[in-house]
Amino acid sequence: MKIAVFASGSGSNFSAMMGAIRADKLPGVEVALLVCDRPGALVEGRAEQESIPVFSFQPKQHADKLAYEQVILQELKKKQVEWIILAGYMRLIGDTLLEAYQGRIINLHPSLLPAFTGKDAIGQALEYGVKVTGVTVHFVDAGMDTGPIIAQRVVPILEGDTRETLTKRIQEQEHQLLPEVVRLVQEGKVKLIGRKVGVQ
Ligand code: GAR
């Protein structure tokens, strides 16, 4: 299973995936490409260290989403990428990639969806005052964090939690859950049935 990881920032989840591959927890999974929309982002250095090819682009240098996604699609085809994993990619996926990779794009989000979609989900949860939040891995559709949910983990919000302490506990869960879901997908245990996802 050849995957491309899309990321915009620090890339701790990218490293968690690579760590799982190195530890033989993802047999048959190969990261064929990192796609990054912020040239110079930390995640690019992580990919270079792991000798993973990087496709880096600046959205503003293209006419629109259609234009840059066509370029991304060419890169994905060159590397024979079968699945796309969004691990901290802070952009909506457009029609070009949605059509080419229908049902084969997965996103990681730091809340219990459908609560707190979009940016700064951890800050939104703290601000709202919920007592539990968490992590969601879901299929991507045209909406903002609206696709069918594959797996979720609950993270309690503790008295005195700050953005930093909560982020740390959420990321600990993310680093386990994303590789686990990729493994289930690779094993053919994840089935999309309409709006619902069956996991064996
Ligand atoms: C992760 O917490 C991920 O859930 C979040 O970005 C972070 C990336 O961290 N994604 C979103 O908020 C998507 N809406 P990382 O760069 O250290 O992997």
Side-chain angles (χ1 to χ4, degrees), residues 7-14 43 46 86-90 107-111 117-122 135-136 144-145 167 170-171 174-175:
S8 306
S10 94
S12 70
N13 283 285
F14 170 82
V43 67
R46 293 181 191 254
L86 310 181
Y89 182 69
M90 304 309 271
N107 182 43
L108 170 68
H109 185 75
S111 78
T117 58
K119 287 190 180 146
D120 192 24
I122 296 174
V135 174
T136 302
M144 165 102 75
D145 302 320
T167 299
I170 285 190
Q171 290 217 327
E174 290 188 331
H175 297 165

Side-chain angles (χ1 to χ4, degrees), residues 1-5 17 29-33 81-83 85 182:
M1 175 183 173
K2 284 194 176 197
I3 65 173
V5 176
M17 291 284 301
V29 175
E30 181 195 336
V31 179
L33 187 66
V81 166
E82 296 159 297
W83 283 76
I85 312 297
V182 171

Side-chain angles (χ1 to χ4, degrees), residues 151-176:
Q152 293 185 300
R153 286 269 179 93
V154 174
V155 176
I157 296 185
L158 307 177
E159 204 65 42
D161 250 344
T162 61
R163 188 182 290 258
E164 287 68 36
T165 56
L166 182 56
T167 299
K168 186 167 178 290
R169 292 204 314 288
I170 285 190
Q171 290 217 327
E172 280 166 10
Q173 296 301 318
E174 290 188 331
H175 297 165
Q176 291 173 19

Side-chain angles (χ1 to χ4, degrees), residues 66-111:
L66 185 73
Y68 69 70
E69 284 201 345
Q70 273 166 353
V71 182
I72 294 174
L73 186 55
Q74 280 174 9
E75 296 298 319
L76 297 175
K77 282 185 176 162
K78 268 191 226 163
K79 300 277 186 235
Q80 296 168 320
V81 166
E82 296 159 297
W83 283 76
I84 295 174
I85 312 297
L86 310 181
Y89 182 69
M90 304 309 271
R91 276 174 201 283
L92 278 181
I93 297 295
D95 291 344
T96 306
L97 292 179
L98 282 174
E99 278 162 25
Y101 284 87
Q102 206 182 16
R104 286 180 292 133
I105 309 179
I106 285 173
N107 182 43
L108 170 68
H109 185 75
S111 78

